[in-house]
Amino acid sequence: MGVSIFRESHSRTHVLGILSVCLVVGGVIACSKTEPYNPPDLFYYFASYKVGKNPTTITTGDLNHDSLTDLVTTNIASNTLSVLLGNGDGTFQDQVQVHVCQEPRALAMDDFNHDGHADVALACPGGDEIAILLGHGNGKFAEGPHYPVYRTPVALAIGDVNGDRHSDLVVALRNDKVKIFLGTGTGEFRHGAQYEYGDTPTSVALSDLDRDGRLDLVVTNGGPMSNAVSIWLGNGDGSFRGPKDYSAGKRPLGVSLADFDNDQNSDLLVINGERDSFTTLLGNGNATFRPGKDSGANAGPNFGLARDFNGDRWMDVAIVNLQSSDLSILFGKGDGTFHYPPRNYRTKAGPFAISSFRVTTTGTEEPGLVIADNGSGSVSIFLHRGVKTALKPDAKE
């Protein structure tokens, strides 16, 4: 007796996420429909706050030592930062704008001079420089040194790449270069190595991918000749070995690290600038990665982060979509792929970047989300509806 299996899908069932599975046995057709996937509705829009013109990044931290999350945005069209001090309940005080360098695009935060206060490093493509701001510990900053680069810095990563216990900087430059600045522990930096490779670096990240105690470097190459993410193994002295490339989607914009399959190895989340996709690459624990898996969110994904939003111990992702002006939450299956459809939430115009934040000081609540709205000069807060699960021991706020 011949048995065959075929699948049918009509426009209505496709929209609902229903799949018909049909068995043909002896000329008799028997079909059953799987249940549609209905993603949980875990977030809700809470509030928005004005910031400077065209914010491009949103960073969280405790700037005034009150144990509450504060916000900082880079505002590329007004040459400012916006500082919003948190009230500890998901609300924030009105912004204080700080005039900085020309066209601040990217921001990284750490304590560069070991005084216990958060400092800021800025990538300023309008002035082809890196600018340092030194924190006073009260939400205010003093202007620090500026370092010229050639040319067009667009992204930053912070870590101790030479083992001296001082924070160093890695800078992505649009002219196919990556520049290292070595920290002195005083708030100043000295010039380190510069590498020329790839095609139009768009983002950088640091992590010990092979567990040798040395930070390794991850770079996305967004130019049309590459479409790859490059892995540079660290030597532990501020230098890196020649990279190995892994294919991503078309025109990758950004990369971050997560563990999507709970094997304790670092995986990659790559946001692609074309074809409305993002790519996950599962790590092997030795700084090598398996072939990427492409997924979709909505129109124009621009930035993403990975967290376990529904408490099932698998990493999910939150993606902001620049063209469709919405936030997509995709729930992970534990293998680098995701359930479909995603849960989408409308945002203000031009959501450009996203960060999670601790809403209160208890450390047990689910994370809130804050979005930099590039098209409306604001930040928007989305709060979790209240699924209460203890944070993982290794969770990072």
Side-chain angles (χ1 to χ4, degrees):
M1 181 183 297
V3 178
S4 63
I5 299 177
F6 67 95
R7 299 177 187 271
E8 65 176 2
S9 173
H10 302 289
S11 59
R12 174 176 169 77
T13 58
H14 177 73
V15 169
L16 294 176
I18 301 174
L19 182 67
S20 296
V21 180
C22 301
L23 291 166
V24 182
V25 182
V28 178
I29 301 175
C31 296
S32 64
K33 292 182 177 179
T34 63
E35 290 296 322
Y37 175 69
N38 184 26
D41 181 12
L42 297 184
F43 289 91
Y44 63 98
Y45 169 78
F46 179 66
S48 291
Y49 298 89
K50 295 300 294 180
V51 293
K53 191 173 182 181
N54 299 124
T56 52
T57 60
I58 177 71
T59 303
T60 63
D62 182 6
L63 301 179
N64 59 352
H65 301 294
D66 62 358
S67 300
L68 306 177
T69 300
D70 308 312
L71 307 178
V72 183
T73 67
T74 53
N75 309 312
I76 196 169
S78 56
N79 300 327
T80 63
L81 300 185
S82 290
V83 177
L84 297 88
L85 298 179
N87 297 317
D89 57 0
T91 67
F92 294 85
Q93 299 175 30
D94 289 342
Q95 66 165 329
V96 174
Q97 284 200 47
V98 181
H99 286 275
V100 290
C101 55
Q102 189 174 353
E103 297 179 7
R105 179 180 176 87
L107 179 152
M109 190 182 299
D110 206 344
D111 182 3
F112 300 135
N113 57 0
H114 300 294
D115 66 353
H117 307 320
D119 307 313
V120 165
L122 296 169
C124 308
D128 287 332
E129 65 178 357
I130 302 300
I132 306 299
L133 300 177
L134 299 176
H136 290 312
N138 58 359
K140 298 180 180 180
F141 296 89
E143 185 174 2
H146 292 229
Y147 300 96
V149 291
Y150 184 80
R151 70 182 184 273
T152 317
V154 294
L156 294 166
I158 291 178
D160 179 7
V161 299
N162 63 350
D164 64 357
R165 300 186 180 182
H166 305 317
S167 295
D168 308 311
L169 299 176
V170 179
V171 184
L173 305 175
R174 274 290 171 85
N175 61 340
D176 304 341
K177 293 181 177 64
V178 174
K179 172 70 176 177
I180 313 297
F181 286 93
L182 299 175
T184 65
T186 65
E188 297 182 343
F189 294 82
R190 54 189 175 90
H191 288 272
Q194 181 167 286
Y195 300 95
E196 183 169 1
Y197 180 82
D199 184 12
T200 315
T202 52
S203 72
V204 287
L206 289 167
S207 182
D208 182 3
L209 300 175
D210 55 2
R211 301 194 181 104
D212 66 352
R214 305 164 182 171
L215 288 180
D216 307 308
L217 176 61
V218 186
V219 182
T220 51
N221 298 286
M225 303 302 293
S226 180
N227 297 322
V229 57
S230 301
I231 306 299
W232 302 65
L233 295 181
N235 293 316
D237 59 358
S239 67
F240 295 87
R241 282 165 265 171
K244 181 176 181 179
D245 287 352
Y246 293 86
S247 295
K250 194 169 180 62
R251 299 288 181 92
L253 294 174
V255 63
S256 57
L257 294 107
D259 182 4
F260 289 108
D261 54 357
N262 286 351
D263 64 355
Q264 309 305 310
N265 298 326
S266 293
D267 308 319
L268 302 181
L269 171 64
V270 180
I271 307 299
N272 302 311
E274 293 186 7
R275 298 181 181 172
D276 298 338
S277 74
F278 64 94
T279 304
T280 52
L281 296 93
L282 298 182
N284 297 315
N286 59 357
T288 67
F289 294 85
R290 284 162 262 173
K293 302 175 182 179
D294 288 349
S295 304
N298 212 334
N302 196 68
F303 197 99
L305 65 86
R307 288 294 300 260
D308 177 13
F309 294 121
N310 61 352
D312 65 357
R313 302 294 180 178
W314 300 117
M315 279 292 178
D316 313 309
V317 295
I319 307 284
V320 286
N321 304 292
L322 189 60
Q323 295 177 17
S324 52
S325 288
D326 59 8
L327 161 68
S328 296
I329 308 293
L330 296 98
F331 296 96
K333 295 181 178 180
D335 60 358
T337 66
F338 302 88
H339 295 284
Y340 276 86
R343 174 67 66 177
N344 292 328
Y345 300 90
R346 293 295 299 173
T347 66
K348 292 186 178 293
F352 206 84
I354 185 171
S355 182
S356 63
F357 73 100
R358 191 177 62 191
V359 180
T360 72
T361 60
T362 64
T364 59
E365 84 282 353
E366 294 298 311
L369 298 174
V370 56
I371 297 171
D373 307 310
N374 184 269
S376 60
S378 63
V379 293
S380 294
I381 309 298
F382 284 78
L383 296 184
H384 201 281
R385 291 191 184 276
V387 176
K388 300 294 184 182
T389 58
L391 295 178
K392 298 179 185 179
D394 59 346
K396 295 180 179 179
E397 292 302 315

